């Protein structure tokens, strides 16, 4: 749930000047739609390079304004979130889309040179990252795979890759992107997907929480705005309501809450007349598979879980909300203690998203025995109930006990996640290398049974969000009448058709404990961890390397990473 502004009652409408400006913008986009259809892949690639330069030019302001809007000093370690989830995410996406367009311009599939494999049930698996040496270094130990829907062959996957950019003359129209209010790269990335995967020019309606970033979005999109391919608008629910029913709109995409989605879809005579896609969040599980963990393992993974919940102060659609533990794990109590310690030592920050204080009060009412931390601004609650069915969109974590160990526990946790938790956006699994070996092929079969659009194994699913060549969205099957976490996917810079899910894999242990003990990583602590003391410096350094490719400053950034 990354809420957009609430839909306005249908008898409300923007003032005449606002309506005139929106009408004019849509008229320009209608003309631009024909120009976009006529633009070949090579010209689109070159245009993206201009956008890339514009993003790099705006990056400092982007990160600074985003941090300030969330009550963070731009030098605060947690301000690194605004570098990674802002300009960094935009830059890596532009590079990845540019590579796909370059392949198409040369008459090749975007999957040319990408390794394909086979997953459970004979699924075709696209090994979607890392694809470049710099990714292998910066994100050492982390990989993503896109599992295609059962029955899609490797030949079919290569032939279909490219989507609307493969046959641009067949696409067209004007899309409305209702931007999310929590993570600043989401609106930017959603517009790129409209253009490159769907073949539609786009009007971005910015969420009011991001109004301060409107000038940044206009700078970043300037080459596309000048070409009549993108427009940016601001305003409240009245503007959103006016646009969703505007005859100049051919498609709507929303990243937001199910409540807002339902208001947009409408009922009866007010039913939305155009197609809609959506990313709507959910209640994401963190499945902790019992094993034999060292004290360092317990501490590191407790900080990992804290990151999944407390990143962006819990205002993430993909925030882990419910930890599923084995009541038969002999280290259960020790892990829960470490989890409480991690919640306590993570730096305090504002709970900034609209209505978050009301949601925290709801937790106090429903879970009176919850443990509170950081001046009563974040909580851990034991037991199930409402926390399994309501996405709180606030720094609140639930802990639920299930029976069993080994495969029996994993089976119970998968069933619980599928059947009891609301939504299908993302699920996280933490498992030590020895236990993973013991589970064997049964572990991959368990992943296949998880009905989630992204599954992270020893990696937060948000890594899939950050990886442009991964897909991002709900598990397939959502409809306009039943869309628990949305409909369709975004990001997907390889422009894959018929994706089922993304699987992210990461190291169970950081450097140097990763040496010879499972998946290797050179990262001592990922910069996105909320406990990283150097998170801002390292995240900014990663983004600047993406801007200019300078190796010297990057080496200094990697040295700083060891101060985390």
């Amino acid at each position: 749930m990354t809420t957009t502004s609430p839909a306005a009652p249908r008898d409300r409408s923007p003032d005449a000047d606002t309506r005139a400006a929106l009408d004019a913008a849509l008229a320009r986009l209608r003309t631009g739609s024909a120009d976009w259809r006529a633009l070949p892949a090579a010209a689109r690639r070159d245009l993206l390079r201009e956008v890339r330069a514009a993003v790099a030019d705006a990056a400092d302001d982007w990160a600074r304004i985003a941090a300030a809007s969330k009550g963070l000093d731009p030098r605060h370690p947690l301000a690194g979130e605004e570098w990674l989830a802002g300009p960094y995410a935009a830059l890596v996406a532009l590079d990845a889309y540019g590579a796909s367009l370059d392949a198409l311009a040369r008459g090749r599939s975007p999957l040319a040179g990408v390794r394909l494999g086979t997953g459970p049930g004979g699924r075709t698996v696209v090994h979607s990252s890392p694809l470049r040496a710099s990714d292998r270094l910066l994100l050492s130990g982390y990989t993503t795979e896109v599992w295609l829907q059962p029955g899609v062959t490797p030949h079919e996957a290569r032939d279909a890759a490219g989507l609307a950019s493969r046959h641009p003359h067949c696409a067209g129209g004007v899309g409305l992107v209702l931007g999310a209010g929590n993570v600043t790269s989401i609106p930017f990335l959603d517009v790129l997907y409209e253009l490159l995967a769907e073949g539609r020019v786009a009007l971005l309606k910015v969420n009011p929480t991001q109004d301060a970033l409107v000038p940044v979005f206009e700078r970043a999109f300037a080459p596309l705005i000048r070409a009549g391919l993108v427009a940016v608008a601001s305003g409240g629910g009245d503007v959103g309501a006016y646009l969703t029913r505007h005859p100049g709109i051919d498609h709507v995409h929303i990243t937001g809450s199910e409540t807002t989605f339902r208001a947009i879809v409408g009922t009866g005579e007010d039913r939305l007349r155009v197609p809609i896609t959506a990313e709507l969040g959910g209640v994401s599980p963190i499945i902790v598979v019992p094993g034999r963990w060292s004290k360092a393992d317990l501490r590191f993974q407790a900080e990992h879980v804290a990151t999944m919940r407390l990143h962006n102060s819990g205002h993430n659609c993909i925030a882990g909300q419910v930890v599923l533990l084995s009541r038969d794990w002999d280290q259960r109590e020790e892990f829960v203690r470490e989890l409480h310690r991690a919640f306590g030592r993570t730096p305090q920050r504002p709970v900034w998203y609209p209505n978050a204080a009301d949601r925290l009060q709801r937790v106090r009412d429903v879970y009176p025995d919850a443990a509170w931390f950081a001046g009563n601004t974040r909580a851990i609650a034991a037991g199930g109930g409402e926390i399994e069915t309501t996405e709180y969109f606030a720094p609140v974590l639930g802990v639920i006990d299930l029976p069993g160990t080994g495969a029996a526990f994993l089976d119970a946790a998968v069933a619980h996640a599928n059947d009891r938790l609301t939504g299908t956006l993302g699920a996280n699994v933490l498992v030590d290398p020895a236990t993973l070996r013991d589970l064997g092929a049964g572990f991959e079969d368990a992943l296949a049974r998880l009905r989630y659009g992204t599954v992270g194994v020893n990696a937060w699913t948000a890594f899939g969000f950050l990886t442009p060549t991964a897909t991002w969205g709900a598990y397939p099957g959502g409809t306009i009448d039943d869309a628990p976490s949305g409909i369709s996917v975004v990001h997907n810079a390889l422009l894959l058709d018929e994706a089922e899910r993304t699987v992210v894999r990461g190291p169970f242990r950081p450097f140097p404990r990763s040496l010879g003990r499972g998946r290797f990583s050179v990262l001592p602590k990922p910069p996105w961890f909320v406990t990283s003391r150097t998170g801002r410096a390292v995240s900014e350094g990663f983004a600047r390397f993406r801007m200019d490719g300078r190796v010297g400053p990057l080496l200094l950034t990697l040295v700083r990473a060891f101060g985390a």
Side-chain angles (χ1 to χ4, degrees):
M1 178 186 75
T2 42
T3 55
T4 61
S5 22
R10 297 299 174 204
D11 58 354
R12 281 186 56 198
S13 182
D15 61 56
D17 289 344
T18 300
R19 293 197 306 273
L22 294 171
D23 293 346
L26 290 172
R28 288 193 298 272
L29 289 172
R30 182 62 59 184
T31 300
S33 176
D35 296 337
W36 183 242
R37 284 201 307 274
L39 210 59
R44 294 182 177 195
R45 175 202 61 203
D46 294 344
L47 191 54
L48 285 196
R49 288 173 178 166
E50 295 182 39
V51 176
R52 190 188 195 284
V55 169
D57 180 68
D60 285 272
D61 288 341
W62 187 333
R64 175 182 54 79
I65 294 170
S69 73
K70 300 176 182 183
L72 289 175
D73 187 294
R75 296 164 296 180
H76 193 285
L78 292 175
E81 296 173 0
E82 303 312 318
W83 279 98
L84 283 183
Y88 176 93
L91 290 163
V92 295
L94 288 164
D95 286 344
Y97 281 122
S100 290
L101 290 173
D102 188 65
L104 292 169
R106 297 170 188 272
R108 305 169 65 196
S109 167
L111 286 180
V114 177
R115 182 166 62 94
L116 305 185
T118 304
R123 291 170 174 81
T124 295
V125 173
V126 179
H127 293 273
S128 55
S129 76
L131 298 178
R132 306 193 315 179
S134 58
D135 293 329
R136 293 185 180 92
L137 175 63
L138 294 186
L139 304 171
S140 171
Y142 292 86
T143 62
T144 64
E145 310 155 10
V146 178
W147 293 12
L148 303 184
Q149 295 186 31
V152 178
T153 68
H155 174 78
E156 291 168 337
R158 290 190 179 95
D159 189 56
L163 299 178
S165 287
R166 192 177 187 89
H167 305 288
H169 59 282
C170 297
V174 178
L176 170 64
V177 173
L178 296 172
N182 62 330
V183 173
T184 63
S185 62
I186 292 177
F188 183 92
L189 299 176
D190 288 350
V191 167
L192 291 185
Y193 200 72
E194 281 288 290
L195 287 164
L196 299 167
E198 306 294 356
R200 289 185 286 266
V201 299
L203 190 154
L204 168 62
K205 191 274 181 189
V206 176
N207 188 288
T209 65
Q210 296 194 7
D211 277 350
L213 282 164
V214 167
V216 170
F217 289 140
E218 290 175 337
R219 286 171 60 190
F221 281 129
L224 299 173
I225 293 172
R226 287 194 298 268
L229 308 176
V230 169
V232 180
S234 58
D238 57 336
V239 171
Y242 179 74
L243 289 170
T244 59
R245 266 51 182 182
H246 197 287
I249 293 295
D250 300 299
H251 181 273
V252 175
H253 177 78
I254 171 182
T255 299
S257 70
E258 188 173 8
T259 299
T260 305
F261 176 77
R262 292 285 156 225
I264 292 169
V265 169
T267 58
E269 294 182 357
D270 192 42
R271 184 88 161 175
L272 186 68
R273 64 171 185 83
V274 297
I276 184 169
T277 53
E279 190 262 83
L280 304 177
V283 175
S284 294
I286 306 166
I287 299 171
V288 180
V289 182
R292 176 49 51 190
W293 295 10
S294 69
K295 290 186 180 298
D297 295 337
L298 291 164
R299 179 184 174 103
F300 179 79
Q301 293 301 342
E303 292 184 2
H304 198 177
V305 172
T307 296
M308 296 180 196
R309 179 69 270 187
L310 300 180
H311 183 281
N312 200 24
S313 204
H315 310 314
N316 284 333
C317 56
I318 197 54
Q321 181 162 305
V322 172
V323 179
L324 300 180
L325 287 178
S326 168
R327 67 170 60 103
D328 301 314
W329 185 26
D330 59 4
Q331 292 183 290
R332 179 204 174 279
E333 297 302 324
E334 193 176 358
F335 179 72
V336 171
R337 284 195 297 272
E338 284 293 350
L339 192 54
H340 281 229
R341 290 169 184 153
F343 260 55
R345 67 174 169 266
T346 297
Q348 188 169 342
R349 64 183 302 172
V351 180
W352 61 272
Y353 207 81
N355 301 316
D358 293 339
R359 291 190 287 274
L360 289 178
Q361 183 56 52
R362 175 67 181 174
V363 173
R364 292 184 180 91
D365 295 339
V366 176
Y367 297 96
D369 296 328
W372 290 84
F373 308 87
N376 294 322
T377 60
R378 60 184 71 140
I380 297 177
E386 185 176 280
I387 205 165
E388 299 176 280
T389 58
T390 300
E391 184 190 7
Y392 282 125
F393 213 63
V396 180
L397 185 71
V399 176
I400 295 173
D401 290 330
L402 300 174
T405 59
F409 168 79
L410 185 57
D411 290 344
V414 167
H416 192 98
N418 285 340
D419 300 337
R420 298 283 295 275
L421 305 185
T422 295
T424 65
L425 186 61
N428 311 273
V429 184
L430 303 179
V431 55
D432 67 272
T435 302
L436 188 58
R437 286 193 299 270
D438 291 343
L439 290 168
F443 182 79
E444 297 298 305
D445 292 338
L447 295 189
R449 293 196 304 275
L450 272 168
R451 297 192 295 269
Y452 288 85
T454 300
V455 177
V457 181
N458 294 330
W460 182 22
T461 43
F463 189 90
F465 170 91
L466 199 64
T467 303
T469 48
T471 55
W472 184 252
Y475 190 77
T479 68
I480 195 169
D481 295 311
D482 182 20
S485 283
I487 304 170
S488 192
V489 299
V490 288
H491 303 186
N492 186 25
L494 293 172
L495 300 173
L496 302 170
D497 197 13
E498 297 189 85
E500 181 188 62
R501 76 185 79 201
T502 284
V503 177
V504 182
R505 301 181 197 265
F508 181 76
R509 298 182 176 98
F511 185 85
R513 293 188 302 113
S514 61
L515 287 166
R517 305 179 69 193
R519 181 174 286 237
F520 175 73
S521 176
V522 300
L523 291 174
K525 181 182 287 187
W528 54 86
F529 267 39
V530 291
T531 51
S532 173
R533 295 189 298 271
T534 60
R536 195 274 309 162
V538 174
S539 298
E540 180 181 346
F542 281 9
R544 294 197 182 282
F545 175 72
R546 294 298 187 187
M547 290 182 225
D548 57 30
R550 294 172 59 201
V551 175
L554 174 63
L555 295 177
L556 179 59
T557 293
L558 294 175
V559 170
R560 286 174 173 160
F562 282 83

